[in-house]
Amino acid sequence: MSSPPVRASDGDRERALNELRDRAAEGRLSMDTFVGRVDMALRARSRSELDELISDLPHRGRWRRRITEAVASVSDLTSRIETAWRRPRLPRLALPVDSRIRYVVGRGSACDLVLSDLTVSRVHAELRRENDSWLLVDLGSMNGTRLNGWRLVGPARVRAGDEVAFGDCAFLVSAPA
């Protein structure tokens, strides 16, 4: 009596797809063969079906694998540098150095930092000093307060170099001068 085939895990499927992708990048698979095998890999139910998809592919040598990985990492670094270079330059928001412990940010004239953008609520957020650090708190604003791209759902610690956004108004936090 034979045992049932081992079910393909997500890791097994990912490994097979990576092998197919790498071989296509090396020119060892035509585009039609690559697309057909990727489709079969996504529909495979067992590990043996996945192994059959890559069994006829030549094994990569250690040096070829290292060179391919090095080129991929340089390519990734290049694209991250290009993305960072194209990012808009944000105005700086210097953390206050006086003794006050609370600063309100909003569109209203009574706020400590008034932003006239319509995406900013009248009373949008607050910067609160706690010990020797600053917390950013959203005050129920309509368009939200974001810290490093993440919308706040509670108080969050703010440090120099962080990106904060009140509605569509974004700033780069800088250390007190």
Side-chain angles (χ1 to χ4, degrees):
M1 194 165 162
S2 65
S3 62
V6 177
R7 184 176 169 270
S9 69
D10 290 338
D12 294 332
R13 195 175 318 279
E14 188 70 29
R15 180 183 52 82
L17 290 170
N18 285 339
E19 281 293 318
L20 291 170
R21 182 199 65 214
D22 291 346
R23 292 308 177 283
E26 293 171 357
R28 298 195 181 262
L29 289 176
S30 70
M31 185 53 70
D32 292 336
T33 303
F34 172 71
V35 170
R37 287 191 185 192
V38 165
D39 184 50
M40 291 185 331
L42 293 174
R43 287 188 282 127
R45 293 181 176 212
S46 68
R47 190 181 298 166
S48 62
E49 290 177 43
L50 291 172
D51 290 340
E52 285 178 32
L53 291 174
I54 60 173
S55 64
D56 64 331
L57 299 175
H59 292 289
R60 288 191 296 178
R62 181 174 47 174
W63 289 107
R64 180 175 284 171
R65 185 184 73 229
R66 286 186 180 171
I67 290 171
T68 304
E69 289 171 356
V71 168
S73 65
V74 168
S75 176
D76 180 50
L77 175 65
T78 303
S79 82
R80 285 191 288 156
I81 289 172
E82 287 175 356
T83 302
W85 187 261
R86 289 190 181 118
R87 251 174 86 185
R89 305 295 188 258
L90 297 176
R92 301 226 182 255
L93 175 65
L95 295 171
V97 291
D98 59 7
S99 61
R100 289 181 50 196
I101 60 169
R102 183 175 187 253
Y103 289 88
V104 178
V105 179
R107 205 176 66 236
S109 60
C111 293
D112 300 305
L113 174 59
V114 178
L115 301 172
S116 60
D117 191 288
L118 292 176
T119 62
V120 177
S121 299
R122 276 185 226 128
V123 179
H124 195 98
E126 77 175 356
L127 278 167
R128 186 182 319 152
R129 189 188 317 252
E130 194 171 276
N131 300 327
D132 287 334
S133 61
W134 288 93
L135 292 178
L136 180 63
V137 181
D138 184 78
L139 298 176
S141 65
M142 182 66 105
N143 292 311
T145 303
R146 293 181 311 282
L147 176 63
N148 296 323
W150 293 91
R151 189 167 180 159
L152 293 183
V153 292
R157 197 159 310 283
V158 178
R159 297 176 186 88
D162 285 342
E163 182 180 320
V164 296
F166 310 100
D168 287 342
C169 294
F171 299 91
L172 187 64
V173 176
S174 64

